[in-house]
Amino acid sequence: MYVLENQSRLRSPYSGKAIIDKVICQNERCRVKFHGIYWSAEAVNPFPLHQNDFVNVVGRKGLVLLIKPFSDRIIKDQALLDDRVSSP
């Protein structure tokens, strides 16, 4: 179990970006490559799944990763924030 004073800083080892390798059941199940390993994955809420699309891994249920859609906007917003912080 993880113990931290500030729970918002706690990061699960089962979170991050994965890529869809094979769609098994449209809008629900697929196989993803996550940290170099192939996993079965299930959408937390149904959304369109397409081979080679990126998804966010948000957790794990047994041997199945839980995924949500990946948003490019998150990366763009983070890049803008990084630029603002690094500028004098």
Side-chain angles (χ1 to χ4, degrees), residues 34-83:
F34 179 65
H35 294 292
I37 300 170
Y38 291 95
W39 291 79
S40 291
E42 183 178 295
V44 174
N45 297 310
F47 66 93
L49 302 171
H50 304 286
Q51 188 172 1
N52 296 323
D53 278 358
F54 288 103
V55 292
N56 280 320
V57 175
V58 295
R60 183 177 67 114
K61 181 171 67 175
L63 296 176
V64 177
L65 295 180
L66 302 174
I67 58 171
K68 288 187 174 184
F70 183 78
S71 173
D72 287 331
R73 182 179 175 161
I74 294 169
I75 290 178
K76 290 176 185 173
D77 290 348
Q78 185 61 45
L80 287 172
L81 180 62
D82 291 345
D83 286 344

Side-chain angles (χ1 to χ4, degrees), residues 20-27 29-31 49-51:
I20 296 176
D21 176 62
K22 180 180 180 182
V23 176
I24 297 168
C25 182
Q26 190 54 271
N27 298 333
R29 292 183 67 90
C30 62
R31 181 174 68 189
L49 302 171
H50 304 286
Q51 188 172 1

